């Protein structure tokens, strides 16, 4: 579980994760992780720092895809923006035993929980990308064009337990000092090819966000199919006045 306080402990430069080979193997890696149960480890949270860039970029590529053109959505720039915010967002890592003098020990980033606000004038590329994905939905376009919105970034390795989500979301809410009308969640889903009613949320808490959403829109990412599952992405619009109930529902689910 992440602890309530943030630390500025730096971690070593992670191995580059955005190479073409890694991108091509991302689905295979996720399939392999699916075969393992959630691991139980002690996690800590801290503010993102420059050496987290490669890890954050990896998580963004898992969510949005590694084949996006920079002219459409520059994930490298998005990772930089998440780091430069300083006072908003956390990355999660497993702390290294300080008594261990092994210089090779690292504290790799295992997840990120952050928020990127945008208006038409601020982070315009994100707003433009969302407007394109929501072009057939008048209500979604109206929200994006007239309301104060932000993109909720909530990514982690698949076998990191959902338990980290609740304290991370609660901490994030206290860090957001500006007015926001809607949180926009970019959820990763899998649909069973043999039963279209079977939907698996990669992050289980995203289903709770959807249950309290104003609307949601699905789209299919590139290279989305394998033998058993069809990959989907779901853009979920959630009014900020629903967040208290969402946190309560996540807490209830974790106690089950």
């Amino acid at each position: 579980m992440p602890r309530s306080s943030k630390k500025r402990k730096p971690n070593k430069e992670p191995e580059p994760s955005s190479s073409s080979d890694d991108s091509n193997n991302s689905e295979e890696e996720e399939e392999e992780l699916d075969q393992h149960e959630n691991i139980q480890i002690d996690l800590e949270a801290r503010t993102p720092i420059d050496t987290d860039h490669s890890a954050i970029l990896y998580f963004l590529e898992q969510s949005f895809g590694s084949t996006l053109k920079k002219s459409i959505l520059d994930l490298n720039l998005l990772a930089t923006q998440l780091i430069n915010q300083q006072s908003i967002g956390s990355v999660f890592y497993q702390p290294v035993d300080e008594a261990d003098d092994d210089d090779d020990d690292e504290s790799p980033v295992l997840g990120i929980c952050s928020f990127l606000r945008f208006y038409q004038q601020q982070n315009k590329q994100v707003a433009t990308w969302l407007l394109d994905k929501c072009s057939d939905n008048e209500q979604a376009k109206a929200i994006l064009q007239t309301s104060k919105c932000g993109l909720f970034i909530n990514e982690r390795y698949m076998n990191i337990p959902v338990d980290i989500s609740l304290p991370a979301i609660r901490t994030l809410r206290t860090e957001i000092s500006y007015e926001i009308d809607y949180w926009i969640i970019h959820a990763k889903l899998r649909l069973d090819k043999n039963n279209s009613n079977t939907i698996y949320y990669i992050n289980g808490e995203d289903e709770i966000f959807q249950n309290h959403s104003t609307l949601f829109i699905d789209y299919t990412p590139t290279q989305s199919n394998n033998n058993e599952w069809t990959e989907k992405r779901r853009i979920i619009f959630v009014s900020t006045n629903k967040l208290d109930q969402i946190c309560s529902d996540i807490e209830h689910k974790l106690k089950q």
Side-chain angles (χ1 to χ4, degrees):
M1 294 285 292
R3 300 175 185 176
S4 58
S5 61
K6 285 189 179 181
K7 297 187 176 182
R8 293 288 300 175
K9 178 180 178 181
N11 64 294
K12 297 182 181 180
E13 180 70 35
E15 293 295 325
S17 58
S18 56
S19 66
S20 58
D21 289 342
D22 286 345
S23 300
N24 292 336
N25 292 331
S26 61
E27 287 190 13
E28 295 179 7
E29 292 171 355
E30 287 195 348
E31 290 297 328
E32 182 178 351
L33 286 170
D34 268 344
Q35 300 172 8
H36 299 280
E37 295 181 356
N38 286 345
I39 57 176
Q40 299 300 321
I41 57 175
D42 182 29
L43 297 178
E44 289 188 356
R46 59 167 171 77
T47 301
I49 56 177
D50 289 342
T51 54
D52 297 331
H53 187 278
S54 293
I56 294 172
L57 179 59
Y58 169 81
F59 288 119
L60 293 175
E61 289 177 344
Q62 291 299 295
S63 180
F64 294 95
S66 59
T67 60
L68 277 176
K69 295 181 179 179
K70 288 185 177 181
S71 59
I72 298 175
L73 190 61
D74 189 342
L75 298 181
N76 187 68
L77 178 60
L78 189 59
T80 300
Q81 289 175 310
L82 291 170
I83 293 170
N84 289 343
Q85 290 186 120
Q86 292 295 315
S87 60
I88 296 176
S90 304
V91 293
F92 307 108
Y93 68 100
Q94 185 178 16
V96 174
D97 188 351
E98 295 181 359
D100 192 339
D101 294 331
D102 188 350
D103 291 337
D104 292 332
D105 283 341
E106 296 182 355
S107 297
V109 171
L110 303 177
I112 180 171
C113 180
S114 192
F115 194 85
L116 189 69
R117 67 170 171 170
F118 55 88
Y119 308 130
Q120 290 305 97
Q121 297 80 20
Q122 186 178 14
N123 293 318
K124 188 175 181 179
Q125 194 183 45
V126 178
T128 300
W129 179 82
L130 283 167
L131 281 168
D132 177 67
K133 292 298 182 185
C134 302
S135 59
D136 294 331
N137 189 297
E138 294 300 323
Q139 184 181 9
K141 290 194 296 183
I143 290 174
L144 289 169
Q145 292 171 336
T146 63
S147 301
K148 297 176 181 178
C149 302
L151 183 64
F152 177 43
I153 306 294
N154 182 37
E155 299 294 331
R156 58 183 180 268
Y157 285 108
M158 290 180 66
N159 57 345
I160 300 298
V162 68
D163 303 55
I164 72 169
S165 64
L166 183 58
I169 292 169
R170 284 175 168 165
T171 298
L172 184 63
R173 292 183 66 190
T174 66
E175 294 172 338
I176 297 174
S177 59
Y178 41 78
E179 183 179 352
I180 286 290
D181 299 320
Y182 285 90
W183 282 34
I184 298 177
I185 293 87
H186 188 246
K188 303 191 296 291
L189 287 73
R190 286 178 174 174
L191 279 65
D192 190 334
K193 286 186 175 181
N194 298 318
N195 182 358
S196 59
N197 293 323
T198 301
I199 300 175
Y200 172 63
Y201 288 80
I202 303 299
N203 288 348
E205 65 272 21
D206 288 344
E207 183 174 10
I208 296 176
F209 276 97
Q210 183 205 303
N211 291 341
H212 294 279
S213 65
T214 301
L215 73 151
F216 62 86
I217 296 169
D218 290 350
Y219 74 93
T220 303
T222 57
Q223 298 178 340
S224 63
N225 296 331
N226 58 36
N227 292 331
E228 297 181 5
W229 299 93
T230 297
E231 299 282 344
K232 289 286 186 181
R233 297 294 183 267
R234 179 162 289 176
I235 301 171
I236 305 171
F237 291 73
V238 176
S239 173
T240 53
N241 62 21
K242 300 291 186 180
L243 293 176
D244 285 340
Q245 186 60 53
I246 288 170
C247 288
S248 177
D249 287 358
I250 294 174
E251 183 176 21
H252 177 73
K253 181 177 180 179
L254 292 175
K255 291 179 178 178
Q256 291 179 344

